[in-house]
Amino acid sequence: MAAPKVAVVGAGVVGLSTALCIAETCPSCSVTVLSDQFSPNTTSDVAAGMLIPHTYPATPIHAQKQWFKETFTYLFAISNSAEASEAGIHLVSGWQVFKNTPKEELPFWSDVVLGFRSMSEAELQKFPQHQFGQAFTTLKCDCPPYLLWLERRLKATGIQICTRKVADLWELHGEYNVVVNCAGIGAQQLVGDKKLFPVRGQVLKVHAPWVKNFIRDGDGLTYIYPGIHRVTLGGTREKENWSLSPDPGTTKDIFDRCCSLEPSLRGAQDIKVKVGLRPSRQSVRLEREVLSQGGVKLPVVHNYGHGAGGFSVHRGTAKEAARLVGECIAALQGSSSRARL
Amino acid sequence: MRVAIIGAGVIGLSTALCIHEQYHGLVPSLEMEVYADRYTPHTTSDGAAGLWQPYLSDHGNLQETLWNKETFDYLLGHLGSAAAKEMGLFLISGYNLFTQPVPDPSWKNIALGFRNLTPKELELFPGYSYGWFNTALMLECRSYLPWLTNRLTQRGVKFFHKKVESFQEVSGVGVDVVINCTGVRAGELQPDPELQPGRGQVIKVLAPWMKHFIITHDIKSGIYNSPYIIPGSEFTVLGGIYQHGNWSEENSAQDHKTIWENCCRLLPALREAKIVQEWSGLRPARPRVRLERETLRHGHFQAEVIHNYGHGGFGITIHWGCAMAAARLFGSILQEKKLASRPQPRL
């Protein structure tokens, strides 16, 4: 096969980073990103982009930790370079506070983030409703900058990025040798995955540049994440809610919850409300599949279902997906050489 | 009773407020006036980034360490209030970096979450092998000084834009107590060879991705002569100049180069930062803060003076503790004059 043609469906953080990894591991591949939505209109753009992992119930912890570590290391190097501000990657320190001391005091990622430790009594005094807390430093990927930076990196390697709504993966057979499915919540329609469900998240993005530390309630529902220009206030976790319209009652509730963690937010200006549907699943679907129809085969690599943890594991899953693409291509080359005999 | 405060930087205005808050109720006749040749945003305080952080060593000066702690605790108490944003007050975390291990500072238990840096964190700062991480406070004077001014104005304190040339100028017109908060130019009112300018220069840039302060230390060069980066609510301050005895308030191209190159070497991403302003100021450096009473006699007039100057590069860090100490001195003056309507509160 001269130049294997790979289509990546989806241009959120998973699609773009997967395309980049494929280009890095398979320089002879011709990669095209196809999506109906691009930054600033992807699910990724709504997220704060904090590197604090979500735990997938059905993915082995060692795999999650490996993905997170890979992602953290990759972004750490960018944050430390001259490209940091262009890529939208920056370090941020803060606190995760719990109203009740959690059973598991050390999360699996505590040795990947920086300086992880329990909060002191003096630090906890700032949070009178919370009994226990953890302090650490992690990374944040601001969107759109990060996605736009990924797009520029892709274009620099010669990757094509095309606006196209793919209704069925079979559409791509004939044009492409391998299809990579990074369609996020779109995978429900695209491949009919009933294990994939939306978890609706509403957030506020506000102007409050004096907020320099993140604060997160351990229940995952209330959080304050300072970004480059805006602070993301969240949030909600509404299973099976497909509505992308902001709810005013929810806006007030989020604002009140965040102000009780950080009273100075009452002075926040220019509140913008956003909604995203986390593409949630018990485990990330990261695997090969060979679709078959009337004797024709289409190799597919799935990389979707990252739910609330997309940013935290994106690079790790992208590398794994690229590896799987390599396997698909090797299998195709093997079978084509067999066909020639 | 007339009280005149000379100087409208962070020391002058906070001392005025502290005294007025504590004694106006006890001395109904209290009339307070502020005299200054420079007001915000043209004071030395306005140029400072506003980070609460004492020097590395207190040289055994426990008094100053206590004043630093009083200031930190006072500000921490205001963090949750509605006034915090208006005051320019917020929490900030960050790094102090060294090329060799150093003893823990006097303020390690005052700041929040003080700890040593881990090896992975030190990877961020090539050339530095040791360091601290802690959470401290920012108090931006371009917000804090107007806030203090508003509180004082509400209390009926009067402000005069005037360069006071002598204590007599003020005490000779019926002022009973003069509070001397004249900072680096205190020597013009009364010679003080121990007071010297510690010239600093800073570059203000737009670098909104910066969420931590980074302060490097070079034990050989001395405090503030090593690059530092302090992100504020709008601008990030780049600095690292301390020139003892230099009275120039002009920006120096050489110092600009030093600051810019050193800070960009420390943080390459800064090269993308847009430069917005450059500023030079004179830290009122003194081996220790002058915080004491003096009785001045001039002919028939006698005035009590409370000196409160010489806070070097840590004025914001120590201001409230000093204001409280000055207020206690004021209380002792009232005691002597038997002017208080009831016994002083023990503070």
Side-chain angles (χ1 to χ4, degrees):
Chain A
M1 196 177 304
K5 295 203 280 294
V6 181
V8 176
V9 179
V13 68
V14 174
L16 296 182
S17 55
T18 301
L20 192 59
C21 282
I22 296 168
E24 286 168 6
T25 55
C26 179
S28 64
C29 285
S30 160
V31 184
T32 306
V33 172
L34 305 167
S35 181
D36 60 349
Q37 298 291 356
F38 291 89
S39 182
N41 299 315
T42 69
T43 306
S44 305
D45 290 287
V46 180
M50 286 292 285
L51 258 67
I52 299 177
H54 167 79
T55 301
Y56 303 100
T59 300
I61 290 289
H62 71 84
Q64 299 188 46
K65 186 165 178 176
Q66 182 54 32
W67 292 337
F68 180 57
K69 200 161 173 201
E70 193 116 43
T71 306
F72 195 92
T73 304
Y74 173 71
L75 294 173
F76 185 76
I78 300 172
S79 79
N80 208 12
S81 77
E83 291 193 77
S85 69
E86 196 206 327
I89 309 291
H90 58 96
L91 283 172
V92 59
S93 298
W95 307 283
Q96 176 166 239
V97 291
F98 298 83
K99 292 194 165 106
N100 301 298
T101 307
K103 287 187 296 290
E104 187 196 67
E105 280 202 16
L106 274 188
F108 73 81
W109 42 268
S110 65
D111 59 345
V112 179
V113 297
L114 303 174
F116 186 97
R117 59 173 171 84
S118 297
M119 283 166 73
S120 62
E121 279 304 312
E123 288 174 301
L124 277 166
Q125 282 186 15
K126 193 168 126 54
F127 305 103
Q129 295 171 337
H130 295 78
Q131 292 186 355
F132 177 79
Q134 297 151 342
F136 56 94
T137 301
T138 188
L139 291 158
K140 186 177 187 298
C141 302
D142 268 44
C143 285
Y146 184 55
L147 295 191
L148 296 177
W149 180 81
L150 283 172
E151 278 184 36
R152 280 196 294 277
R153 294 282 300 266
L154 289 171
K155 287 175 183 161
T157 68
I159 290 184
Q160 298 287 305
I161 300 181
C162 302
T163 306
R164 175 172 167 177
K165 178 149 179 81
V166 176
D168 187 327
L169 293 184
W170 279 106
E171 277 172 42
L172 305 174
H173 172 262
E175 288 174 73
Y176 299 98
N177 304 112
V178 181
V179 173
V180 187
N181 173 16
C182 303
I185 194 65
Q188 229 226 30
Q189 265 222 319
L190 193 54
V191 298
D193 183 348
K194 294 190 172 50
K195 295 182 187 170
L196 179 70
F197 56 95
V199 173
R200 181 183 181 281
Q202 185 163 321
V203 295
L204 314 183
K205 304 227 175 189
V206 310
H207 182 73
W210 62 87
V211 176
K212 306 288 186 193
N213 293 294
F214 74 80
I215 304 171
R216 176 177 202 268
D217 192 307
D219 67 12
L221 278 176
T222 307
Y223 49 83
I224 296 162
Y225 294 141
I228 295 175
H229 296 293
R230 302 201 145 248
V231 183
T232 301
L233 309 184
T236 64
R237 291 189 170 191
E238 302 157 87
K239 279 179 79 164
E240 302 287 2
N241 185 341
W242 285 90
S243 169
L244 282 168
S245 306
D247 176 76
T250 302
T251 296
K252 184 178 183 316
D253 178 56
I254 292 171
F255 192 69
D256 288 342
R257 281 188 275 124
C258 288
C259 288
S260 81
L261 277 183
E262 177 54 70
S264 72
L265 282 171
R266 291 268 165 218
Q269 302 282 309
D270 192 26
I271 297 173
K272 291 188 160 65
V273 189
K274 300 227 182 264
V275 179
L277 306 177
R278 300 176 185 84
S280 307
R281 223 170 165 276
Q282 292 291 302
S283 61
V284 176
R285 188 174 184 202
L286 183 43
E287 61 188 7
R288 285 169 62 186
E289 186 184 8
V290 181
L291 300 183
S292 203
Q293 205 181 69
V296 184
K297 294 192 193 306
L298 179 62
V300 174
V301 172
H302 296 287
N303 187 11
Y304 68 86
H306 300 71
F311 278 92
S312 297
V313 297
H314 75 274
R315 178 76 181 180
T317 56
K319 285 189 81 164
E320 174 65 12
R323 201 184 60 74
L324 293 174
V325 168
E327 282 182 7
C328 290
I329 291 169
L332 283 172
Q333 285 170 333
S335 64
S336 76
S337 57
R338 278 196 297 279
R340 279 201 292 280
L341 289 163
Chain B
M1 152 163 264
R2 281 179 66 195
V3 178
I5 286 100
I6 314 177
V10 67
I11 300 298
L13 297 185
S14 59
T15 304
L17 186 63
C18 192
I19 291 175
H20 204 279
E21 280 178 346
Q22 286 184 30
Y23 292 103
H24 185 255
L26 299 169
V27 186
S29 66
L30 185 66
E31 275 175 37
M32 191 178 265
E33 299 142 30
V34 174
Y35 295 85
D37 57 356
R38 301 194 198 183
Y39 282 88
T40 181
H42 305 293
T43 70
T44 305
S45 308
D46 289 288
L51 178 67
W52 183 98
Q53 183 167 301
Y55 287 1
L56 297 188
S57 167
D58 61 5
H59 303 292
N61 198 331
L62 199 58
Q63 182 68 269
E64 288 185 6
T65 300
L66 286 171
W67 288 336
N68 290 330
K69 177 173 163 45
E70 274 181 295
T71 306
F72 192 87
D73 291 344
Y74 168 75
L75 293 174
L76 203 61
H78 275 75
L79 257 191
S81 76
K85 184 193 171 196
E86 213 193 315
M87 286 166 78
L89 175 65
F90 54 93
L91 283 173
I92 187 170
S93 306
Y95 305 91
N96 277 279
L97 304 173
F98 305 88
T99 52
Q100 65 199 50
V102 294
D104 290 345
S106 62
W107 45 270
K108 70 179 263 207
N109 293 321
I110 305 173
L112 298 175
F114 182 95
R115 61 170 173 84
N116 285 346
L117 291 181
T118 62
K120 207 156 131 201
E121 287 174 305
L122 285 165
E123 278 176 38
L124 287 164
F125 310 111
Y128 295 96
S129 56
Y130 189 83
W132 307 325
F133 182 92
N134 66 273
T135 300
L137 292 162
M138 282 284 283
L139 185 62
E140 294 182 316
C141 279
R142 67 196 177 98
S143 297
Y144 188 49
L145 298 195
W147 182 83
L148 287 169
T149 307
N150 288 341
R151 303 282 82 68
L152 289 166
T153 306
Q154 277 169 8
R155 290 171 158 272
V157 173
K158 303 270 183 294
F159 290 85
F160 299 92
H161 198 126
K162 181 184 161 112
K163 185 173 171 71
V164 172
E165 307 281 5
S166 70
F167 289 120
Q168 287 74 16
E169 205 184 299
V170 172
S171 64
V173 292
V175 167
D176 303 286
V177 183
V178 180
I179 324 274
N180 177 18
C181 304
T182 48
V184 75
R185 286 178 291 276
E188 291 176 25
L189 286 177
Q190 187 186 90
D192 181 352
E194 291 194 295
L195 178 69
Q196 289 288 314
R199 182 181 174 281
Q201 184 165 321
V202 295
I203 306 173
K204 291 189 182 170
V205 304
L206 285 175
W209 65 90
M210 287 292 303
K211 305 295 175 191
H212 297 94
F213 61 81
I214 302 174
I215 303 175
T216 67
H217 301 270
D218 179 343
I219 306 298
K220 287 192 270 34
S221 320
I223 190 86
Y224 298 132
N225 252 331
S226 193
Y228 61 80
I229 300 166
I230 302 175
S233 62
E234 207 181 333
F235 307 114
T236 295
V237 176
L238 311 184
I241 300 290
Y242 189 105
Q243 294 153 349
H244 202 74
N246 186 346
W247 281 97
S248 170
E249 288 179 84
E250 299 288 308
N251 292 322
S252 140
Q254 177 58 52
D255 290 340
H256 170 97
K257 195 156 172 282
T258 302
I259 298 167
W260 185 254
E261 285 179 6
N262 286 343
C263 287
C264 287
R265 188 178 316 119
L266 183 58
L267 261 198
L270 277 177
R271 293 191 196 280
E272 305 303 314
K274 181 167 168 233
I275 295 175
V276 167
Q277 201 189 29
E278 194 117 8
W279 181 89
S280 299
L282 309 174
R283 301 175 185 87
R286 209 173 179 275
R288 53 204 302 149
V289 174
R290 187 177 184 199
L291 185 35
E292 61 189 5
R293 274 178 64 180
E294 189 180 0
T295 305
L296 289 182
R297 288 181 184 83
H298 177 69
H300 298 293
F301 297 106
Q302 176 176 308
E304 295 298 326
V305 178
I306 298 174
H307 298 286
N308 187 5
Y309 69 84
H311 305 80
F314 50 90
I316 289 161
T317 299
I318 205 171
H319 81 278
W320 193 253
C322 289
M324 298 279 276
R328 286 192 288 278
L329 291 175
F330 185 80
S332 67
I333 294 172
L334 291 183
Q335 191 81 350
E336 285 162 21
K337 289 183 192 279
K338 294 180 170 34
L339 272 182
S341 57
R342 57 180 188 275
Q344 315 303 299
R346 281 262 152 261
L347 290 150

mmCIF file with all atom_site columns, all heavy atoms in Angstrom, chain B residues 312-323:
data_model
loop_
_atom_site.group_PDB
_atom_site.id
_atom_site.type_symbol
_atom_site.label_atom_id
_atom_site.label_alt_id
_atom_site.label_comp_id
_atom_site.label_asym_id
_atom_site.label_entity_id
_atom_site.label_seq_id
_atom_site.pdbx_PDB_ins_code
_atom_site.Cartn_x
_atom_site.Cartn_y
_atom_site.Cartn_z
_atom_site.occupancy
_atom_site.B_iso_or_equiv
_atom_site.pdbx_formal_charge
_atom_site.auth_seq_id
_atom_site.auth_comp_id
_atom_site.auth_asym_id
_atom_site.auth_atom_id
_atom_site.pdbx_PDB_model_num
ATOM 1  N N   . GLY B 1 312 ? 11.316 49.297 53.317 1.00 0.00 ? 312 GLY B N   1
ATOM 2  C CA  . GLY B 1 312 ? 12.026 48.607 52.240 1.00 0.00 ? 312 GLY B CA  1
ATOM 3  C C   . GLY B 1 312 ? 11.115 48.020 51.177 1.00 0.00 ? 312 GLY B C   1
ATOM 4  O O   . GLY B 1 312 ? 10.199 48.673 50.685 1.00 0.00 ? 312 GLY B O   1
ATOM 5  N N   . GLY B 1 313 ? 11.357 46.777 50.843 1.00 0.00 ? 313 GLY B N   1
ATOM 6  C CA  . GLY B 1 313 ? 10.573 46.105 49.806 1.00 0.00 ? 313 GLY B CA  1
ATOM 7  C C   . GLY B 1 313 ? 9.455  45.274 50.381 1.00 0.00 ? 313 GLY B C   1
ATOM 8  O O   . GLY B 1 313 ? 8.897  44.418 49.697 1.00 0.00 ? 313 GLY B O   1
ATOM 9  N N   . PHE B 1 314 ? 9.125  45.510 51.652 1.00 0.00 ? 314 PHE B N   1
ATOM 10 C CA  . PHE B 1 314 ? 8.099  44.686 52.283 1.00 0.00 ? 314 PHE B CA  1
ATOM 11 C C   . PHE B 1 314 ? 7.010  45.531 52.938 1.00 0.00 ? 314 PHE B C   1
ATOM 12 O O   . PHE B 1 314 ? 6.368  45.112 53.889 1.00 0.00 ? 314 PHE B O   1
ATOM 13 C CB  . PHE B 1 314 ? 8.719  43.719 53.308 1.00 0.00 ? 314 PHE B CB  1
ATOM 14 C CG  . PHE B 1 314 ? 9.651  44.372 54.295 1.00 0.00 ? 314 PHE B CG  1
ATOM 15 C CD1 . PHE B 1 314 ? 9.177  44.866 55.506 1.00 0.00 ? 314 PHE B CD1 1
ATOM 16 C CD2 . PHE B 1 314 ? 11.002 44.502 54.007 1.00 0.00 ? 314 PHE B CD2 1
ATOM 17 C CE1 . PHE B 1 314 ? 10.037 45.481 56.408 1.00 0.00 ? 314 PHE B CE1 1
ATOM 18 C CE2 . PHE B 1 314 ? 11.872 45.107 54.906 1.00 0.00 ? 314 PHE B CE2 1
ATOM 19 C CZ  . PHE B 1 314 ? 11.392 45.598 56.110 1.00 0.00 ? 314 PHE B CZ  1
ATOM 20 N N   . GLY B 1 315 ? 6.781  46.722 52.393 1.00 0.00 ? 315 GLY B N   1
ATOM 21 C CA  . GLY B 1 315 ? 5.770  47.622 52.963 1.00 0.00 ? 315 GLY B CA  1
ATOM 22 C C   . GLY B 1 315 ? 4.379  47.032 52.986 1.00 0.00 ? 315 GLY B C   1
ATOM 23 O O   . GLY B 1 315 ? 3.686  47.059 54.002 1.00 0.00 ? 315 GLY B O   1
ATOM 24 N N   . ILE B 1 316 ? 3.967  46.458 51.865 1.00 0.00 ? 316 ILE B N   1
ATOM 25 C CA  . ILE B 1 316 ? 2.629  45.875 51.803 1.00 0.00 ? 316 ILE B CA  1
ATOM 26 C C   . ILE B 1 316 ? 2.543  44.687 52.756 1.00 0.00 ? 316 ILE B C   1
ATOM 27 O O   . ILE B 1 316 ? 1.555  44.497 53.460 1.00 0.00 ? 316 ILE B O   1
ATOM 28 C CB  . ILE B 1 316 ? 2.308  45.476 50.351 1.00 0.00 ? 316 ILE B CB  1
ATOM 29 C CG1 . ILE B 1 316 ? 2.102  46.752 49.526 1.00 0.00 ? 316 ILE B CG1 1
ATOM 30 C CG2 . ILE B 1 316 ? 1.077  44.587 50.274 1.00 0.00 ? 316 ILE B CG2 1
ATOM 31 C CD1 . ILE B 1 316 ? 2.222  46.549 48.037 1.00 0.00 ? 316 ILE B CD1 1
ATOM 32 N N   . THR B 1 317 ? 3.639  43.921 52.806 1.00 0.00 ? 317 THR B N   1
ATOM 33 C CA  . THR B 1 317 ? 3.681  42.725 53.642 1.00 0.00 ? 317 THR B CA  1
ATOM 34 C C   . THR B 1 317 ? 3.491  43.040 55.121 1.00 0.00 ? 317 THR B C   1
ATOM 35 O O   . THR B 1 317 ? 2.894  42.263 55.861 1.00 0.00 ? 317 THR B O   1
ATOM 36 C CB  . THR B 1 317 ? 5.044  42.030 53.428 1.00 0.00 ? 317 THR B CB  1
ATOM 37 O OG1 . THR B 1 317 ? 5.147  41.656 52.042 1.00 0.00 ? 317 THR B OG1 1
ATOM 38 C CG2 . THR B 1 317 ? 5.214  40.824 54.303 1.00 0.00 ? 317 THR B CG2 1
ATOM 39 N N   . ILE B 1 318 ? 4.004  44.199 55.538 1.00 0.00 ? 318 ILE B N   1
ATOM 40 C CA  . ILE B 1 318 ? 4.060  44.513 56.970 1.00 0.00 ? 318 ILE B CA  1
ATOM 41 C C   . ILE B 1 318 ? 3.099  45.629 57.386 1.00 0.00 ? 318 ILE B C   1
ATOM 42 O O   . ILE B 1 318 ? 2.963  45.936 58.573 1.00 0.00 ? 318 ILE B O   1
ATOM 43 C CB  . ILE B 1 318 ? 5.516  44.884 57.342 1.00 0.00 ? 318 ILE B CB  1
ATOM 44 C CG1 . ILE B 1 318 ? 5.806  44.640 58.824 1.00 0.00 ? 318 ILE B CG1 1
ATOM 45 C CG2 . ILE B 1 318 ? 5.833  46.333 56.927 1.00 0.00 ? 318 ILE B CG2 1
ATOM 46 C CD1 . ILE B 1 318 ? 7.280  44.786 59.190 1.00 0.00 ? 318 ILE B CD1 1
ATOM 47 N N   . HIS B 1 319 ? 2.407  46.215 56.421 1.00 0.00 ? 319 HIS B N   1
ATOM 48 C CA  . HIS B 1 319 ? 1.727  47.497 56.673 1.00 0.00 ? 319 HIS B CA  1
ATOM 49 C C   . HIS B 1 319 ? 0.742  47.496 57.829 1.00 0.00 ? 319 HIS B C   1
ATOM 50 O O   . HIS B 1 319 ? 0.711  48.444 58.620 1.00 0.00 ? 319 HIS B O   1
ATOM 51 C CB  . HIS B 1 319 ? 1.070  48.033 55.396 1.00 0.00 ? 319 HIS B CB  1
ATOM 52 C CG  . HIS B 1 319 ? -0.265 47.422 55.080 1.00 0.00 ? 319 HIS B CG  1
ATOM 53 N ND1 . HIS B 1 319 ? -0.403 46.215 54.444 1.00 0.00 ? 319 HIS B ND1 1
ATOM 54 C CD2 . HIS B 1 319 ? -1.523 47.866 55.326 1.00 0.00 ? 319 HIS B CD2 1
ATOM 55 C CE1 . HIS B 1 319 ? -1.702 45.943 54.298 1.00 0.00 ? 319 HIS B CE1 1
ATOM 56 N NE2 . HIS B 1 319 ? -2.405 46.931 54.832 1.00 0.00 ? 319 HIS B NE2 1
ATOM 57 N N   . TRP B 1 320 ? -0.084 46.456 57.938 1.00 0.00 ? 320 TRP B N   1
ATOM 58 C CA  . TRP B 1 320 ? -1.135 46.529 58.951 1.00 0.00 ? 320 TRP B CA  1
ATOM 59 C C   . TRP B 1 320 ? -0.578 46.333 60.358 1.00 0.00 ? 320 TRP B C   1
ATOM 60 O O   . TRP B 1 320 ? -1.025 46.972 61.311 1.00 0.00 ? 320 TRP B O   1
ATOM 61 C CB  . TRP B 1 320 ? -2.244 45.523 58.664 1.00 0.00 ? 320 TRP B CB  1
ATOM 62 C CG  . TRP B 1 320 ? -3.456 45.806 59.490 1.00 0.00 ? 320 TRP B CG  1
ATOM 63 C CD1 . TRP B 1 320 ? -3.908 45.095 60.566 1.00 0.00 ? 320 TRP B CD1 1
ATOM 64 C CD2 . TRP B 1 320 ? -4.347 46.929 59.344 1.00 0.00 ? 320 TRP B CD2 1
ATOM 65 N NE1 . TRP B 1 320 ? -5.026 45.707 61.095 1.00 0.00 ? 320 TRP B NE1 1
ATOM 66 C CE2 . TRP B 1 320 ? -5.314 46.833 60.376 1.00 0.00 ? 320 TRP B CE2 1
ATOM 67 C CE3 . TRP B 1 320 ? -4.418 48.015 58.459 1.00 0.00 ? 320 TRP B CE3 1
ATOM 68 C CZ2 . TRP B 1 320 ? -6.344 47.764 60.530 1.00 0.00 ? 320 TRP B CZ2 1
ATOM 69 C CZ3 . TRP B 1 320 ? -5.440 48.934 58.610 1.00 0.00 ? 320 TRP B CZ3 1
ATOM 70 C CH2 . TRP B 1 320 ? -6.389 48.806 59.637 1.00 0.00 ? 320 TRP B CH2 1
ATOM 71 N N   . GLY B 1 321 ? 0.416  45.464 60.473 1.00 0.00 ? 321 GLY B N   1
ATOM 72 C CA  . GLY B 1 321 ? 1.052  45.300 61.781 1.00 0.00 ? 321 GLY B CA  1
ATOM 73 C C   . GLY B 1 321 ? 1.658  46.615 62.246 1.00 0.00 ? 321 GLY B C   1
ATOM 74 O O   . GLY B 1 321 ? 1.546  46.999 63.422 1.00 0.00 ? 321 GLY B O   1
ATOM 75 N N   . CYS B 1 322 ? 2.287  47.334 61.328 1.00 0.00 ? 322 CYS B N   1
ATOM 76 C CA  . CYS B 1 322 ? 2.867  48.633 61.678 1.00 0.00 ? 322 CYS B CA  1
ATOM 77 C C   . CYS B 1 322 ? 1.782  49.662 61.982 1.00 0.00 ? 322 CYS B C   1
ATOM 78 O O   . CYS B 1 322 ? 1.922  50.480 62.908 1.00 0.00 ? 322 CYS B O   1
ATOM 79 C CB  . CYS B 1 322 ? 3.750  49.151 60.531 1.00 0.00 ? 322 CYS B CB  1
ATOM 80 S SG  . CYS B 1 322 ? 5.281  48.216 60.347 1.00 0.00 ? 322 CYS B SG  1
ATOM 81 N N   . ALA B 1 323 ? 0.695  49.629 61.225 1.00 0.00 ? 323 ALA B N   1
ATOM 82 C CA  . ALA B 1 323 ? -0.401 50.577 61.471 1.00 0.00 ? 323 ALA B CA  1
ATOM 83 C C   . ALA B 1 323 ? -0.959 50.362 62.876 1.00 0.00 ? 323 ALA B C   1
ATOM 84 O O   . ALA B 1 323 ? -1.252 51.327 63.600 1.00 0.00 ? 323 ALA B O   1
ATOM 85 C CB  . ALA B 1 323 ? -1.494 50.404 60.425 1.00 0.00 ? 323 ALA B CB  1
#
